[in-house]
Amino acid sequence: LPRMKLIQLLFRGQGNLEMLFRTPYCQKQFPHVCLATSASLYSKKKKVNSYEQADQEKYRNLVNSVISYKTSAQNPETIFEEDNLLYGPPGNHRPHDKAETKTPKNWVPLINPNKRTHPDSDSNVLIKVALQKNKLPSVTRVLQQTISPQQAFYLERWKQRMIQELGKDGFAEYTKNLFLQGELFHAALESIFLSEEKATNEEREDVSGYLSSVQHVLEDISEVKALESAVQHESLQYLGLVDCVAKYRGQLCVIDWKTSEKTKSSLKSTFDNPLQVAAYIGAINHDANYNFQVHCGLIVIAYKNGSPAHPHFMGPDLCSHYWNKWLLRLEEYMDKN
């Protein structure tokens, strides 16, 4: 056989190799090799070929990832994916998060049993409570200061890579523009819900991609009850600013609008956003400014390129799950402070 053909057959595994040396041509040309190889194969008949065990697709993707690396393409989500490709999912290499089994010391129900609701009264009145500055911690602050070490590591690494590429001033300008786009997007949504033209054409143009992205979601939203409204949990003593409270496909929800440069097609990919929504739901249900209670949540991920947004609906059971996780984070924050 030609040498290259022999090498190819060698790399296809022991089964093909054994078949090769059983052929009459091989036995004539390589009698000693044939006997030695056959004996070796017979003695290791039950052993699985390590080459066959290797995930060739995995390593091919890894090589492609490495040789096509660009700093500008890195963000916290892609860094998670890169590390998963190298080391596998974090869950396979570390014990289960203790927070999953812990119970909050000061447990408060998500739904307020003492609150009387009037769902039909003042249904056309839009609630917009101004945010008062006080010493109470905000939901955002609590989540930022109790972030897991793993997430903190990835975020810091992403930040350093961006600074290396853009410089400190460039990175500051980049983050400033992200916040500005988020504010313009929320302002444009508010003007749509209020049927007003507060947003100028120039401002609408800056976020036109985001607005196109959420168009199919807006069609399922009705009976808006609150916009950019402050909420405060009276017993747990924290506050926040809710984007929107409205019905989504007939279910009253706390709606959180998010912008993203990367596709987030699963609730898990939104990181701490479900905890934020659960915290807002609990606050509304324990805030006297609101004459209703909310059982569900909705996180809408909008994309700048106009691709269809991903709406992640959180039913009552899922909200209760993340409510318990929020209570643990809140306790952790209180212990630290």
Side-chain angles (χ1 to χ4, degrees):
L1 291 174
R3 181 175 298 178
M4 287 306 297
K5 183 66 175 178
L6 178 61
I7 292 174
Q8 290 175 2
L9 289 170
L10 284 171
F11 274 94
R12 287 179 184 173
Q14 294 177 348
N16 290 332
L17 185 61
E18 184 177 9
M19 186 178 296
L20 167 67
F21 284 113
R22 283 178 178 174
T23 61
Y25 178 86
C26 173
Q27 292 174 357
K28 291 179 181 179
Q29 298 296 321
F30 309 101
H32 300 291
V33 176
C34 179
L35 291 172
T37 306
S38 297
S40 174
L41 289 171
Y42 180 78
S43 62
K44 299 179 180 180
K45 187 174 181 180
K46 295 183 179 180
K47 186 174 181 180
V48 179
N49 189 351
S50 60
Y51 180 78
E52 291 176 350
Q53 286 182 319
D55 187 345
Q56 299 177 42
E57 187 66 26
K58 170 182 176 181
Y59 292 107
R60 188 181 298 113
N61 291 341
L62 176 59
V63 171
N64 292 337
S65 174
V66 171
I67 64 177
S68 63
Y69 166 78
K70 291 182 180 179
T71 306
S72 61
Q74 294 292 307
N75 56 51
E77 291 85 1
T78 59
I79 292 173
F80 270 119
E81 293 176 359
E82 180 182 300
D83 283 1
N84 285 346
L85 194 61
L86 285 166
Y87 309 113
N92 293 341
H93 302 283
R94 62 191 179 102
H96 294 293
D97 190 354
K98 293 182 179 179
E100 294 290 343
T101 56
K102 288 178 64 177
T103 303
K105 298 176 184 177
N106 183 25
W107 188 82
V108 176
L110 178 65
I111 307 301
N112 188 350
N114 301 319
K115 185 176 184 180
R116 293 183 178 180
T117 60
H118 307 282
D120 296 327
S121 63
D122 299 327
S123 58
N124 295 325
V125 177
L126 186 69
I127 301 175
K128 191 176 177 67
V129 179
L131 185 64
Q132 302 294 328
K133 292 184 178 181
N134 54 41
K135 295 182 180 180
L136 295 182
S138 68
V139 173
T140 303
R141 182 180 180 85
V142 171
L143 292 175
Q144 286 177 345
Q145 294 200 8
T146 57
I147 191 173
S148 69
Q150 184 191 39
Q151 287 190 27
F153 167 77
Y154 287 127
L155 287 172
E156 180 61 26
R157 193 171 74 168
W158 168 75
K159 177 181 176 181
Q160 293 304 322
R161 287 185 177 183
M162 293 296 289
I163 290 176
Q164 186 178 5
E165 180 190 4
L166 304 175
K168 289 186 176 180
D169 293 340
F171 179 69
E173 186 69 20
Y174 170 78
T175 54
K176 179 182 177 181
N177 288 334
L178 286 181
F179 284 118
L180 178 60
Q181 284 188 348
E183 290 177 358
L184 292 176
F185 176 51
H186 282 78
L189 286 172
E190 184 176 354
S191 67
I192 291 174
F193 289 131
L194 295 174
S195 299
E196 296 178 356
E197 294 297 332
K198 293 195 300 182
T200 65
N201 291 332
E202 184 178 352
E203 289 174 337
R204 285 284 184 92
E205 186 176 350
D206 289 339
V207 294
S208 59
Y210 293 124
L211 293 176
S212 298
S213 179
V214 300
Q215 193 60 44
H216 70 287
V217 180
L218 295 178
E219 294 173 358
D220 292 325
I221 292 177
S222 61
E223 298 183 33
V224 179
K225 292 184 175 295
L227 283 173
E228 297 292 331
S229 188
V231 294
Q232 179 176 323
H233 199 292
E234 296 171 353
S235 60
L236 292 177
Q237 293 294 286
Y238 68 84
L239 52 80
L241 190 66
V242 175
D243 288 348
C244 178
V245 179
K247 284 187 177 182
Y248 173 73
R249 296 181 177 178
Q251 298 283 342
L252 187 63
C253 299
V254 164
I255 303 176
D256 205 26
W257 305 98
K258 299 293 183 184
T259 60
S260 176
E261 296 178 352
K262 179 177 173 59
T263 301
K264 295 184 178 181
S265 57
S266 66
L267 186 63
K268 184 179 179 181
S269 64
T270 64
F271 298 103
D272 283 341
N273 293 157
L275 279 72
Q276 183 180 23
V277 169
Y280 290 156
I281 293 174
I284 285 178
N285 295 342
H286 291 78
D287 190 327
N289 289 312
Y290 300 87
N291 61 353
F292 53 82
Q293 297 205 67
V294 184
H295 297 75
C296 303
L298 180 70
I299 300 172
V300 182
I301 309 298
Y303 304 111
K304 189 175 183 178
N305 62 5
S307 59
H310 283 108
H312 300 296
F313 177 75
M314 297 166 55
D317 291 341
L318 204 54
C319 288
S320 296
H321 168 74
Y322 284 108
W323 171 249
N324 287 333
K325 293 171 74 71
W326 158 252
L327 291 178
L328 290 171
R329 296 282 286 272
L330 182 61
E331 283 184 0
E332 181 183 348
Y333 173 86
M334 295 300 184
D335 291 340
K336 287 182 178 179
N337 293 273

